[in-house]
């Protein structure tokens, strides 16, 4: 029994041991599996952590460039606030009972015959023919007749045949020659401020004393027909029942406004309707729109002028003797039909007055209207006192103009007494304005001494006149006229006083912002993979602290700086101070003045950036900026050629030499597209339009978009195939969708030419416009919707090729994974930009893309990925092609018709956006292409390092544009008294400032968001 018990116990122990062994074996097996599982889990955890790190660094990078945009916008705001002049407006208003010069008449006389002077007319029809240049109205004998020659003879013929009933004079506008500013001058009698030019799209109501308000106070019924700008300036002044306003900015429409005005004005002139109104203001736009769309030398312009001739004759036939007819242009137009600047053709408009009373006259020697504009010209502000006195209302308080001699000198041409009296009235009103203005602005006695002396001399002659002779009246007239001219000159000088502290603030902000960009574009050691050195929280804190401190100071000294300006200035200064105080910045600043470029490429980048900036100090260099840019690009290509010939590999030498030469040839071809500015004549020949006097493309230009559609996709495909990147979505987008969109572009411009030149007269009007508008909308949808979607969902352009013997596969395109995908975004953007350019401008942008590929080949070939020369060369390319797409640093070169490419009429915000895409298309394309400098032909690496390279390249690009904007601001400020300020230096600053802000926005929207997406897509395949 004991034996059996022991045996049973032994078996139990053995069973337990066996069970323990089994458990141990299982545990051992389990212990053997975890390392592999843990390894996989660890790898996934590391990948997620790297992805989160990448997203964090990427968010910091985007935030940094958004902050840079804020810095640039603030600096430009403060500079323009001090540089672009604004006029101090007095709120005083002239009154009928407060007559200057002590000439107050009885109340009954004022009620019957006018306030300050006997009225000549009870009613008036004022017709503004927009952009009526003076030479459109006078006979011209020429061996080379133009379409605008002798097409509008009624004004000159009537002035010659009936000199007592009419006169025709050159009517000189004060720049800027934009409609809004001209209407302000024509109704207030004051000089314009340059900053008002930016308001031409949306005028604000005129609050200061003006002709329209004085007529309304005199219980006159006012009717407006035509350009709706009048409604913006005088929203409650015109009779709402009879008034008819029309859209003023649709430059494609030559007839709607003119036909509408003609249809409504003639019934109002009928005797049955003559009592419904007192002053009728009509503003037609066909001449202006024909100039913008075609240029002055075009059959459409001749037809429009002939229509105006017939229109004026019909109005003359319907007038009664008590009604004055005034026909005038608000400005002229240049040789291409544009305006906005201060060239002779832009400022020389025409003025014609007519009545059946026979009250006008000429001084001896001017029996006929002058055939050339400089002769016997009058200023546009002179219309204000002239109309006021003719209609018997007070002269507006802020007026600086003088009465027009021909309206008051009488039939015999010697009514000096009337001229003396009305000039005494006008001079006295100007003296009253000058006194109030001097008191309000606390002017020193020296600035007004000369004018006051002339006033005292004129007033002395007036006070002792007695029974004056004709010669004495003429002397009084001349004395008051001399005082008026001196006061006008004095006011020009006073209103040219700049706010220098604001300008200095703006320059300082731009300068420090440029230093920050240089620091982060060119780190002294390592790379910019750790954007935490930017210290965004500290920068935000500095911005808040600075803004609050300066805002509090503004409450203590409100007369010195406003709350908004103080907050902006403090926030900007605080954030800049903190950014300069970062560890990376301090390391750089310690060596800022010691290191110079240590390579030839560094020197070339520095010189290529500084030379154009230095050139802005000279009007000649600024005028010929496009030639300077072309020279600098050729210099870069020459450097690249020399460097290529020193490469060790024969294949590399040939490839580098080929693309260096191709770069020179492509930029030279682009330079053949040229729009000359007036100052470049006669050493420049325009090729961008059909002729120097046209705003339409030559017929052969229509071949350019077709050539682009045929060849550009093939060239892009060849570059993709060379890098084994023609895979994934690339064949579909480049080979089919992109090419199809380019063909639609070509068809669009062909239909536009057919519509402009009336090639298909049998088609109903508007059919071609509707068809091409739909085409344009479809192309823009392909570009910005389908193209962006393709880029987002495409992924890296990779392909797998099986190798059957070893049953392996080859991965192609890895060396250009991120670059190949990103160029899909660039090409989709290019498709839309090519559409909004005119045919030759599209050709220039296509050459830009080809030159870009040569640049992208040279950068890795010459190991220039980390050099500043890549972004600098790209910025030079964008700047050059700004000029080659038909633009100049002038207001007149703006291609307004681009706002209507996909639209029938003005639509906000799309129309201004289209103008930006047209004007700055080359710079936008350069900003969008900047990530390719860091991604093209570069194999996948650390995602943080790649996106840091993109950020560095973007900063390098912005260094060039920020330097140009800063230099243009400094030179404009230094040369603010220069004769060419508003013709050369100020427009160049405006162009540079706008280009900088546009490039800032494009860098964030395209380069950073798109570049970061491409890097992330490649990292998702190859790892972060």
């Amino acid at each position: 029994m004991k034996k059996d018990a022991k045996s049973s116990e032994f078996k139990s122990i053995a069973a337990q041991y066996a069970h323990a062994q089994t458990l141990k074996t299982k545990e051992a097996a389990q212990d053997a599996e975890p390392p592999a599982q843990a390894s996989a889990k660890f790898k996934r955890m590391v990948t997620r952590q790297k992805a989160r790190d990448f997203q964090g660094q990427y968010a910091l990078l985007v935030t940094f460039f958004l902050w840079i945009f804020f810095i640039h916008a603030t600096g430009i705001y403060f500079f323009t606030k001090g540089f672009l002049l604004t006029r101090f407006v007095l709120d005083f208003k002239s009154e009928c009972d407060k007559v200057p010069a002590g000439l107050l008449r009885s109340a009954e006389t004022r009620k019957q015959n006018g306030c300050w002077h006997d009225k000549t007319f009870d009613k008036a029809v004022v017709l503004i023919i927009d952009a009526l240049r003076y030479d459109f109205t006078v006979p011209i004998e020429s061996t080379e007749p133009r379409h605008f020659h002798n097409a509008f003879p009624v004004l000159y013929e009537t002035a010659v045949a009936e000199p007592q009933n009419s006169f025709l004079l050159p009517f000189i506008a004060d720049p800027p020659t934009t409609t809004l500013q001209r209407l302000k001058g024509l109704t207030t009698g004051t000089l314009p401020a340059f900053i008002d030019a930016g308001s031409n799209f949306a005028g604000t109501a005129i609050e200061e004393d003006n002709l329209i308000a004085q007529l309304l106070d005199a219980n006159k019924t006012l009717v407006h027909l035509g350009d709706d700008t009048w409604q913006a300036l005088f929203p409650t002044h015109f009779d709402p029942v009879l008034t008819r306003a029309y859209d003023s900015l649709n430059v494609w429409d030559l007839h709607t406004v003119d036909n509408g005005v003609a249809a409504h004005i003639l019934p109002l002139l009928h005797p049955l309707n003559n009592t419904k109104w007192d002053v009728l203001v009509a503003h037609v736009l066909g001449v202006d729109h024909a100039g913008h769309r075609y240029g002055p030398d075009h059959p459409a312009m001749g037809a429009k002028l002939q229509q105006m001739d017939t229109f004026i004759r019909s109005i003359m036939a319907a007038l009664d003797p008590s009604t004055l007819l005034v026909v005038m242009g608000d400005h002229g137009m240049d040789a291409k039909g544009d305006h906005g600047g201060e060239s002779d053709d832009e400022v020389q408009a025409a003025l014609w007055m007519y009545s059946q009373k026979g009250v006008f006259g000429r001084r001896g020697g001017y029996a006929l209207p002058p055939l050339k504009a400089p002769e016997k010209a009058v200023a546009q502000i002179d219309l204000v006192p002239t109309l006021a006195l003719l209609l018997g209302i007070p002269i507006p308080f802020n007026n600086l103009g003088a009465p027009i001699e021909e309206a008051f000198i009488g039939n015999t041409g010697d009514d000096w007494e009337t001229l003396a009296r009305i000039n005494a009235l006008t001079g006295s009103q100007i003296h009253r304005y000058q006194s109030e203005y001097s008191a309000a602005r606390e002017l020193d006695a020296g600035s007004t001494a000369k004018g006051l002396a002339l006033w005292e001399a004129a007033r002395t002659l007036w006070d002792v006149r007695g029974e004056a002779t004709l010669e004495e009246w003429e002397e009084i007239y001349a004395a008051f006229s001399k005082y008026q001219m001196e006061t006008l000159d004095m006011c020009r000088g006073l209103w040219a006083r700049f706010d220098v502290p604001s300008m200095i603030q703006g320059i300082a902000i731009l300068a420090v912002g440029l230093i920050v960009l240089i620091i982060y574009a060119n780190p002294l050691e390592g790379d910019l993979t750790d954007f935490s050195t930017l210290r965004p929280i500290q920068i935000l804190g500095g911005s808040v602290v600075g803004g609050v401190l300066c805002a509090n100071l503004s409450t203590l000294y409100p007369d010195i700086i406003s709350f908004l300006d103080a907050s902006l200035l403090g926030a900007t200064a605080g954030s800049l101070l903190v950014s300069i105080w970062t560890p990376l910045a301090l390391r750089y600043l310690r060596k800022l003045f010691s290191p110079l470029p240590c390579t030839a490429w560094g020197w070339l980048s520095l010189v290529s950036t500084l030379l154009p900036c230095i050139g802005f100090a000279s009007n000649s260099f600024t005028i010929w900026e496009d030639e300077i840019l072309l020279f600098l690009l050729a210099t870069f290509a020459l450097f690249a050629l020399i460097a290529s010939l020193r490469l060790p590999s024969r294949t590399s030498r040939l490839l580098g030499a080929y693309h260096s030469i191709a770069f020179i040839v492509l930029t030279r071809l682009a330079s053949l597209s040229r729009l000359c500015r007036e100052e470049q004549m006669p050493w420049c020949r325009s090729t961008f339009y059909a002729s120097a006097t046209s705003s339409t493309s030559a017929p052969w230009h229509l071949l350019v978009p077709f050539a682009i559609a045929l060849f550009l996709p093939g060239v892009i495909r060849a570059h993709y195939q060379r890098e084994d990147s023609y895979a994934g979505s690339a064949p579909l987008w480049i080979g089919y969708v992109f090419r199809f969109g380019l063909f639609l572009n070509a068809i669009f411009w062909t239909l536009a030419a057919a519509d402009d030149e009336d090639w298909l007269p049998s088609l109903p009007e508007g059919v071609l416009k509707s068809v091409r508008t739909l085409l344009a909308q479809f192309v823009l949808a392909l570009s910005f919707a389908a193209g962006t979607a393709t880029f987002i969902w495409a992924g890296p352009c990779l392909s797998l090729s099986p190798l059957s013997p070893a049953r392996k596969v080859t991965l192609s395109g890895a060396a250009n994974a991120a670059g190949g995908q990103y160029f899909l975004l660039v090409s989709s953007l290019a498709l839309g930009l090519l559409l909004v350019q005119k045919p030759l401008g599209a050709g220039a942008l296509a050459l830009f893309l080809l030159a870009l590929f040569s640049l992208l080949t040279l950068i890795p070939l010459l190991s220039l990925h980390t050099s500043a020369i890549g972004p600098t060369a790209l910025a030079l390319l964008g700047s050059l092609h700004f000029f080659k797409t038909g633009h100049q640093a002038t207001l007149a070169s703006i291609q307004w018709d681009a706002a209507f490419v996909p639209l029938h009429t003005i639509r906000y915000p799309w129309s201004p956006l289209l103008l930006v895409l047209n004007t700055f298309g080359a710079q936008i394309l350069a900003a969008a292409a900047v990530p390719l400098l860091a991604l093209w032909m570069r194999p996948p690496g650390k995602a943080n390092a790649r996106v840091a390279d993109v950020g560095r390249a973007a900063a390098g690009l912005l260094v060039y544009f920020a330097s140009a904007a800063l230099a243009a601001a400094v030179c404009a400020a230094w040369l603010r008294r220069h004769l060419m300020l508003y013709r050369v230096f100020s427009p160049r600053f405006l162009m540079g400032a706008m280009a900088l802000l546009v490039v800032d926005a494009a860098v964030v929207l395209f380069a950073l968001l798109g570049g970061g997406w491409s890097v992330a897509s490649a990292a998702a395949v190859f790892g972060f």
Side-chain angles (χ1 to χ4, degrees):
M1 292 292 294
K2 291 183 180 180
K3 185 176 182 180
D4 292 339
K6 289 182 180 179
S7 176
S8 175
E9 184 179 358
F10 175 78
K11 290 180 180 179
S12 175
I13 294 173
Q16 292 177 11
Y17 178 77
H19 179 67
Q21 284 285 85
T22 303
L23 291 176
K24 185 177 181 179
T25 303
K26 288 182 178 180
E27 289 176 1
Q30 290 176 356
D31 291 340
E33 292 177 1
Q37 294 178 354
S39 176
K41 184 178 180 181
F42 178 75
K43 288 180 180 178
R44 289 193 298 271
M45 183 179 66
V46 169
T47 300
R48 285 195 296 268
Q49 183 60 44
K50 288 183 177 180
R52 284 194 294 268
D53 291 343
F54 169 78
Q55 292 169 357
Q57 299 285 5
Y58 177 61
L60 285 176
L61 179 64
V62 174
T63 303
F64 171 71
F65 280 94
L66 286 174
W67 174 69
I68 288 293
F69 177 83
F70 168 75
I71 294 299
H72 289 160
T74 305
I76 290 169
Y77 164 74
F78 277 101
F79 183 83
T80 54
K81 176 176 171 287
F83 177 68
L84 297 185
L85 307 176
T86 55
R87 180 170 51 87
F88 182 76
V89 177
L90 297 178
D91 295 330
F92 297 99
K93 193 170 185 178
S94 296
E95 299 178 16
C96 196
D97 294 336
K98 296 181 179 179
V99 183
L103 297 178
L104 181 62
R105 301 177 300 165
S106 68
E108 184 64 26
T109 302
R110 294 198 306 274
K111 182 177 179 181
Q112 294 180 357
N113 298 328
C115 279
W116 293 1
H117 184 264
D118 290 342
K119 65 180 179 181
T120 308
F121 300 99
D122 297 319
K123 305 165 74 68
V125 176
V126 180
L127 175 63
I128 299 96
I129 301 179
D130 208 288
L132 181 64
R133 204 168 70 190
Y134 185 72
D135 60 343
F136 293 174
T137 65
V138 295
I140 297 176
E141 296 182 3
S142 174
T143 56
E144 299 180 359
R146 306 289 189 184
H147 289 96
F148 60 85
H149 286 175
N150 308 314
F152 193 7
V154 61
L155 307 186
Y156 185 85
E157 290 176 356
T158 308
V160 172
E162 306 174 41
Q164 74 283 1
N165 292 332
S166 65
F167 62 85
L168 174 65
L169 293 172
F171 200 38
I172 307 302
D174 290 296
T177 49
T178 51
T179 296
L180 177 68
Q181 285 67 46
R182 293 293 79 247
L183 295 186
K184 288 183 177 180
L186 288 169
T187 55
T188 63
T190 57
L191 301 174
F194 192 90
I195 197 171
D196 288 345
S199 307
N200 200 42
F201 276 111
T204 55
I206 295 179
E207 301 293 341
E208 64 182 301
D209 197 10
N210 60 82
L211 272 178
I212 302 300
Q214 288 290 348
L215 288 167
L216 195 64
D217 290 345
N219 296 318
K220 302 289 186 182
T221 301
L222 310 178
V223 176
H224 163 245
L225 304 173
D227 185 346
D228 61 358
T229 305
W230 288 87
Q231 296 298 314
L233 298 178
F234 307 102
T236 61
H237 294 65
F238 295 103
D239 184 276
V241 177
L242 300 177
T243 292
R244 297 290 185 274
Y246 298 87
D247 181 18
S248 61
L249 293 175
N250 188 355
V251 297
W252 289 89
D253 187 352
L254 273 60
H255 306 298
T256 298
V257 179
D258 294 11
N259 294 342
V261 171
H264 289 92
I265 195 172
L266 294 177
L268 288 173
L269 294 176
H270 192 276
L272 294 177
N273 298 318
N274 210 22
T275 58
K276 296 181 179 179
W277 58 274
D278 295 300
V279 176
L280 201 160
V281 178
H283 192 149
V284 293
L285 298 169
V287 172
D288 179 67
H289 289 184
H292 283 302
R293 185 171 176 181
Y294 302 108
D297 189 18
H298 191 275
M301 179 63 78
K304 182 54 63 175
L305 291 173
Q306 292 169 8
Q307 179 189 2
M308 291 296 100
D309 188 87
T310 304
F311 182 40
I312 299 300
R313 294 180 192 274
S314 63
I315 294 176
M316 291 169 60
L319 287 180
D320 60 46
S322 65
T323 303
L324 169 68
L325 174 60
V326 181
V327 178
M328 60 182 168
D330 56 342
H331 51 75
M333 63 176 67
D334 64 13
K336 301 186 291 78
D338 297 319
H339 58 88
E342 56 178 328
S343 68
D344 290 344
D345 284 343
E346 292 172 272
V347 302
Q348 293 172 354
L351 172 67
W352 181 74
M353 287 192 180
Y354 172 83
S355 84
Q356 297 178 4
K357 273 192 174 182
V359 295
F360 300 138
R362 312 280 195 285
R363 193 201 292 221
Y366 285 99
L368 299 177
L371 294 178
K372 295 183 179 181
E375 301 174 10
K376 202 65 177 73
V378 295
Q380 287 195 351
I381 58 175
D382 293 347
L383 179 71
V384 173
T386 302
L387 282 182
L389 295 170
L390 288 175
L391 296 175
I393 61 173
I395 299 172
F397 189 87
N398 296 329
N399 166 71
L400 293 172
I404 296 173
E405 185 178 282
E406 284 75 4
F408 301 98
I409 201 168
N411 295 155
T412 59
D414 59 358
D415 191 355
W416 298 110
E417 181 179 353
T418 299
L419 278 175
R421 289 182 179 277
I422 62 170
N423 274 272
L425 281 169
T426 306
S428 298
Q429 173 54 44
I430 291 174
H431 176 66
R432 186 158 60 180
Y433 168 75
Q434 179 187 357
S435 299
E436 295 291 350
Y437 188 88
S438 299
R441 302 299 282 176
E442 299 179 352
L443 300 181
D444 59 275
S447 60
T448 59
K450 185 176 180 181
L452 290 176
L454 291 173
W455 165 254
E456 293 299 333
R459 189 57 194 250
T460 300
L461 290 175
W462 175 262
D463 291 338
V464 300
R465 66 189 184 280
E467 296 295 329
T469 64
L470 285 179
E471 290 75 11
E472 290 172 336
W473 283 118
E474 184 177 2
E475 184 181 2
I476 295 172
Y477 163 63
F480 279 108
S481 295
K482 191 173 182 180
Y483 165 70
Q484 181 267 335
M485 292 299 297
E486 171 59 30
T487 305
L488 181 61
D489 291 340
M490 181 198 72
C491 288
R492 289 185 193 276
L494 289 175
W495 294 341
R497 289 187 174 180
F498 300 86
D499 183 359
V500 177
S502 291
M503 294 166 62
I504 293 174
Q505 291 164 5
I507 290 174
I509 291 171
L510 290 174
V512 179
L514 176 60
I515 293 173
V516 173
L517 274 175
I518 293 173
I519 290 172
Y520 291 106
N522 303 281
L524 288 178
E525 52 189 66
D527 58 19
L528 268 176
T529 57
D530 185 8
F531 286 99
S532 62
T533 56
L534 301 179
R535 304 175 73 180
I537 302 301
Q538 290 88 335
I539 289 177
L540 179 61
S543 179
V544 172
V545 171
V548 171
L549 288 177
C550 289
N552 288 331
L553 287 176
S554 72
T555 60
L556 298 176
Y557 306 100
D559 296 335
I560 298 178
I561 189 169
S562 68
F563 178 82
L564 175 62
D565 289 351
S567 301
L568 275 177
L569 187 62
T572 306
S575 62
L576 284 173
L577 182 62
V578 173
S579 69
I580 291 294
W581 209 256
T582 61
L584 179 62
L586 291 175
R587 289 202 308 271
Y588 192 93
L589 290 174
R590 281 197 298 266
K591 302 180 181 179
L592 182 61
F593 299 102
S594 58
L596 290 174
C598 55
T599 66
W601 294 113
W603 277 106
L604 181 61
S605 178
L606 178 64
V607 171
S608 298
T609 301
L610 289 181
L611 274 184
C613 295
I614 296 171
F616 295 149
S618 165
N619 59 314
S620 299
F621 279 89
T622 305
I623 289 167
W624 292 98
E625 183 180 357
D626 55 336
E627 296 298 321
I628 296 172
L629 295 171
L630 183 63
F631 168 78
L632 292 174
L633 285 169
T635 304
F636 162 76
L638 182 61
F639 269 63
L641 177 61
I642 295 172
S644 298
L645 296 177
R646 300 176 61 186
L647 293 173
S649 168
R650 181 175 180 273
T651 302
S652 298
R653 289 197 298 271
L654 290 175
L655 185 63
Y658 168 78
H659 282 286
S660 299
I661 295 172
F663 191 87
I664 294 176
V665 172
L666 291 169
T667 51
R668 285 287 172 181
L669 283 176
S671 70
L672 297 178
S673 172
R674 170 177 289 176
L675 177 68
C676 302
R677 55 189 295 164
E678 182 188 23
E679 296 86 357
Q680 292 176 324
M681 299 298 183
W683 302 279
C684 178
R685 179 176 176 272
S686 292
T687 60
F688 190 77
Y689 294 109
S691 68
T693 59
S694 173
S695 288
T696 59
S697 300
W700 71 267
H701 290 176
L702 299 177
L703 298 175
V704 174
F706 286 101
I708 294 172
L710 284 173
F711 298 110
L712 183 59
V715 175
I716 296 175
R717 180 183 61 191
H719 282 278
Y720 264 76
Q721 289 174 336
R722 187 167 65 87
E723 304 305 324
D724 294 327
S725 296
Y726 200 62
S729 299
L732 174 63
W733 172 256
I734 297 171
Y736 295 97
V737 181
F738 184 62
R739 187 186 296 274
F740 178 62
L742 292 177
F743 270 114
L744 291 183
N745 283 359
I747 294 171
F748 169 87
W749 285 107
T750 303
L751 293 177
D755 193 14
D756 290 343
E757 303 299 333
D758 200 19
W759 291 348
L760 302 171
S762 59
L763 286 179
E765 185 177 357
V767 171
L768 288 178
K769 172 62 177 174
S770 298
V771 172
R772 75 174 195 258
T773 298
L774 288 174
L775 273 180
Q777 292 172 353
F778 182 73
V779 171
L780 290 176
L782 280 181
S783 171
F784 295 107
T788 304
T790 301
F791 162 72
I792 291 174
W793 297 106
C797 297
L798 305 173
S799 63
L800 295 174
S801 303
L803 298 177
S804 53
R807 293 188 177 183
K808 295 181 179 179
V809 294
T810 299
L811 180 63
S812 300
N816 195 33
Q821 180 187 1
Y822 183 75
F823 189 83
L824 298 180
L825 179 63
V826 175
S827 62
S828 68
L829 173 64
L831 178 61
L833 293 176
L834 288 168
L835 171 69
V836 299
Q837 302 294 332
K838 291 184 182 294
L840 214 58
L845 274 191
L847 292 171
F848 177 101
L849 287 173
L850 299 181
L852 173 64
F853 274 113
S854 291
L855 177 64
L856 294 178
T857 303
L858 291 169
I859 292 298
L861 193 65
L862 301 175
S863 302
L864 298 176
H865 277 302
T866 59
S867 172
I869 191 59
T872 302
L874 187 57
L876 290 171
L877 267 180
S879 300
L880 173 71
H881 286 80
F882 165 82
F883 296 99
K884 302 313 165 186
T885 51
H887 300 96
Q888 286 282 352
T890 60
L891 292 175
S893 70
I894 298 174
Q895 298 170 22
W896 300 104
D897 50 355
F900 304 95
V901 167
L903 302 171
H904 288 280
T905 187
I906 292 289
R907 291 286 184 271
Y908 292 98
W910 309 116
S911 296
L913 180 59
L914 288 164
L915 282 177
V916 170
L917 293 177
N918 169 271
T919 305
F920 299 104
Q923 290 99 324
I924 292 172
L925 198 57
V930 73
L932 293 171
L933 298 174
L935 303 179
W936 190 261
M937 294 175 62
R938 293 191 77 182
K942 291 184 178 180
N944 281 348
R946 285 291 177 265
V947 81
D949 291 341
V950 171
R952 184 189 298 115
L957 183 85
L958 288 179
V959 164
Y960 178 88
F961 287 104
S963 299
L966 174 62
V970 171
C971 293
W974 184 258
L975 300 170
R976 60 188 181 275
R977 300 297 178 187
H978 196 282
L979 180 64
M980 303 295 284
L981 175 65
Y982 289 118
R983 180 170 285 197
V984 176
F985 300 111
S986 181
R988 183 58 185 83
F989 160 71
L990 291 176
M991 190 273 279
M994 280 297 299
L996 176 60
L997 295 179
V998 168
V999 170
D1000 277 335
V1003 162
V1004 173
L1005 289 175
F1006 299 107
L1008 297 183
L1009 297 182
W1013 184 270
S1014 295
V1015 171
S1017 297
V1021 177
F1022 298 98
F1024 285 88

